[in-house]
Amino acid sequence: MGSYNRSKNVNANKWDRIQPADITFFSANRTLYSYGFVTYKIHNKSLAEELWGYNSKGETWEYIYFLDEIREHTIPIALFNDIVGYSENYMIQCFTVLDEDKSNALLTYFDLESETAIQPVSQDKYKENIDSFKVEDLDIEGKSKNRAEQSFLRKTLFGNKTIEACGICGKEYPISFLVASHIKKRSFCTNEEKLDYNNIVMPMCKFGCDDLFEKGYISVANRKVLVNKKVATEPLNSYLNSIKGKDCESWNNSTEIFFEWHRNHHSI
């Protein structure tokens, strides 16, 4: 995708606000009919000329951004306008970048998330969200802070990887099937512990390990996965036995204190 520049660098300024993992919507006939996730952007007039040539005004789409995970998703323009606070008859007519409040409202309403791209969040922004976050924040702003925190933690864990191993079972999955899971339950963490982001979280898969750890069915000690005594069925016991005794790569001298808290918290 690309955009040509307008007078006073209007489109260039809009393009400059685009970040990896941002969502681009396509609209026509009063409907947002599909969307994709931004993976990369580049200002390259020569490439734009090669790809698209020039329009009748001698302009080319030199402000380029690349998309992945293109999906169909029919959203009536009236619903879009209502969500972001535009007037009922507003029409999307050109390249537009929503501000943070409107973007958060749209993301919260549809719960849209990339399978691979991770929104960049600075360390300062992460700290700011930790300091200001309240459990009772269930509004759009609170959910936005939670998304930013998760994005930061996932970027810390996965970097630019698209595949990573679960820290419990050791199996590799696309990162969309992995959770940045707190070793010590987040609600019990001090702000100082939350800011220890290199040690407080680890990757766990959504195929059982994250839930089992969260509910205390498994713990980690001395680098090994332990199975705790809990009510279980035959299929559950089969899964537990398959991960019992596995090495946990996330266990080390810095994380040991959090794993110890987890064991004590779930001890019978």
Side-chain angles (χ1 to χ4, degrees):
M1 298 294 298
S3 176
Y4 46 76
N5 204 4
R6 291 288 190 180
S7 61
K8 299 182 180 180
N9 293 321
V10 172
N11 280 353
N13 292 335
K14 292 178 182 178
W15 174 88
D16 194 52
R17 290 160 51 197
I18 296 175
Q19 297 292 328
D22 279 355
I23 301 176
T24 297
F25 287 93
F26 299 88
S27 68
N29 302 319
R30 299 189 62 81
T31 300
L32 277 66
Y33 61 87
S34 68
Y35 66 92
F37 294 88
V38 176
T39 58
Y40 183 69
K41 68 177 185 178
I42 184 174
H43 179 211
N44 191 318
K45 190 171 183 177
S46 297
L47 177 59
E49 179 184 358
E50 183 70 23
L51 291 173
W52 303 301
Y54 290 87
N55 64 14
S56 59
K57 296 180 180 180
E59 302 165 321
T60 189
W61 296 263
E62 60 196 88
Y63 291 91
I64 303 169
Y65 51 101
F66 297 85
L67 304 178
D68 196 6
E69 303 176 67
I70 306 298
R71 304 170 185 172
E72 294 183 358
H73 192 118
T74 302
I75 304 173
I77 191 67
L79 176 58
F80 168 80
N81 289 341
D82 183 57
I83 294 169
V84 302
Y86 285 151
S87 64
E88 182 179 353
N89 296 322
Y90 177 82
M91 293 290 293
I92 301 173
Q93 297 179 338
C94 60
F95 172 59
T96 301
V97 179
L98 298 179
D99 63 30
E100 186 174 359
D101 290 341
K102 290 180 175 62
S103 297
N104 287 334
L106 197 62
L107 292 175
T108 299
Y109 189 94
F110 290 107
D111 194 24
L112 303 175
E113 184 179 357
S114 168
E115 294 182 359
T116 56
I118 300 174
Q119 195 83 34
V121 177
S122 69
Q123 183 175 342
D124 288 342
K125 183 66 174 178
Y126 174 72
K127 184 179 186 304
E128 177 186 328
N129 284 352
I130 291 297
D131 290 338
S132 62
F133 186 84
K134 298 180 178 62
V135 175
E136 61 270 21
D137 284 346
L138 298 177
D139 56 5
I140 290 175
E141 182 181 359
K143 292 178 180 178
S144 173
K145 290 179 180 179
N146 185 59
R147 276 199 304 271
E149 181 181 341
Q150 272 296 305
S151 292
F152 180 86
L153 294 174
R154 290 179 66 80
K155 193 68 174 179
T156 299
L157 278 179
F158 306 129
N160 294 322
K161 295 179 181 178
T162 57
I163 294 175
E164 182 59 283
C166 170
I168 296 295
C169 66
K171 295 178 181 178
E172 291 189 339
Y173 296 105
I175 62 171
S176 58
F177 293 105
L178 295 171
V179 177
S181 183
H182 280 76
I183 301 170
K184 178 177 179 179
K185 196 173 181 67
R186 186 193 181 284
S187 58
F188 287 89
C189 287
T190 64
N191 279 6
E192 183 180 358
E193 289 171 333
K194 292 173 187 174
L195 293 172
D196 188 11
Y197 47 82
N198 287 313
N199 297 306
I200 195 61
V201 295
M202 64 179 288
M204 295 191 202
C205 72
K206 298 179 181 179
F207 297 102
C209 292
D210 177 58
D211 218 22
L212 291 171
F213 190 84
E214 175 72 16
K215 291 178 170 60
Y217 275 78
I218 55 176
S219 298
V220 175
N222 298 320
R223 199 181 174 86
K224 298 294 183 181
V225 176
L226 309 177
V227 174
N228 300 321
K229 293 182 179 180
K230 296 275 187 179
V231 176
T233 62
E234 184 176 344
L236 179 52
N237 278 326
S238 177
Y239 188 89
L240 290 169
N241 287 332
S242 72
I243 59 177
K244 182 179 180 180
K246 281 188 172 289
D247 286 336
C248 176
E249 298 294 335
S250 297
W251 189 93
N252 56 51
N253 290 337
S254 298
T255 60
E256 181 181 9
I257 187 172
F258 300 128
F259 283 113
E260 182 180 3
W261 180 94
H262 178 271
R263 290 197 309 277
N264 292 334
H265 181 71
H266 290 286
S267 63
I268 299 176

